[in-house]
Amino acid sequence: MNKWILATSSIIGEGHILQNMPCQDKTYALKHEIYNFIKIKKKRTKFKVLKYSKKLYDNLNSFYGLSLADGAGSCKYSDIGAEFITRKILIYIKNNFDTLYRDELLQSTLTNYIETSLSKISNSKILFKELSSTLLFISIKSNKFILGHIGDGV
């Protein structure tokens, strides 16, 4: 796998500005590159042995993830839910990538994780439904990827 470049951006819409509403679209990028150092003995000269080390990119264990949550405009706290879940989903996938990649019930596993995570931040003032958003994500590790779209967005 080559190194990946990740970029994210979100801009508040004019309607939200006019209505004094927060931007409900949130993005998050997670890059965890791993490098290994190896010591290499070069050659023996008349005076000493020349040694050096080389930094090698570990393409089997490096992780890249990008997520976007489009907060539901009808939900008062969708900006909070969107920001929360964009981070949580990538951290969860990064920590469990190999297991999730082989999971035949991946959609169910991820949906349950998202619902459980959001229910932990909902309370009597912020209802679970008010945290709603459409979530898109991609995560890449060792030439394998998990790509997802959860929600009602098109």
Side-chain angles (χ1 to χ4, degrees):
M1 172 173 70
N2 295 326
K3 289 186 189 181
W4 292 81
I5 297 171
L6 304 176
T8 68
S9 178
S10 61
I11 299 172
I12 190 168
E14 286 184 37
H16 282 74
I17 293 170
L18 292 173
Q19 295 176 9
N20 198 27
M21 292 175 62
C23 181
Q24 294 172 317
D25 300 336
K26 303 296 177 181
T27 60
Y28 185 67
L30 179 61
K31 180 165 66 170
H32 183 77
E33 291 180 336
I34 298 176
Y35 294 90
N36 295 317
F37 292 90
I38 57 170
K39 291 184 179 178
I40 301 171
K41 202 177 202 181
K42 196 167 182 180
K43 67 178 187 176
R44 184 175 288 278
T45 68
K46 190 175 191 181
F47 303 103
K48 62 182 177 177
V49 175
L50 299 175
K51 297 179 185 178
Y52 69 96
S53 63
K54 185 172 183 176
K55 182 177 174 180
L56 296 176
Y57 174 67
D58 181 349
N59 66 347
L60 294 178
N61 295 303
S62 293
F63 175 89
Y64 298 88
L66 191 64
S67 60
L68 160 74
D70 182 3
S74 61
C75 298
K76 186 175 181 180
Y77 298 108
S78 65
D79 58 316
I80 294 169
E83 185 165 358
F84 176 80
I85 208 59
T86 54
R87 295 172 186 275
K88 288 293 277 189
I89 194 66
L90 290 183
I91 292 167
Y92 177 71
I93 293 172
K94 175 187 158 296
N95 293 336
N96 300 284
F97 188 94
D98 296 325
T99 303
L100 291 169
Y101 189 79
R102 293 186 303 273
D103 188 349
E104 292 181 19
L105 301 172
L106 179 62
Q107 179 180 353
S108 206
T109 301
L110 292 177
T111 301
N112 288 338
Y113 175 77
I114 290 166
E115 288 176 354
T116 302
S117 297
L118 287 172
S119 68
K120 289 179 183 176
I121 66 167
S122 63
N123 55 44
S124 61
K125 293 182 182 180
I126 301 176
L127 301 177
F128 177 83
K129 173 79 174 135
E130 292 178 336
L131 298 167
S132 296
S133 66
T134 297
L135 178 65
L136 302 155
F137 59 89
I138 184 168
S139 53
I140 304 165
K141 182 182 175 189
S142 63
N143 292 329
K144 297 174 187 168
F145 67 90
I146 297 172
L147 178 66
H149 173 199
I150 299 173
D152 66 354
V154 180

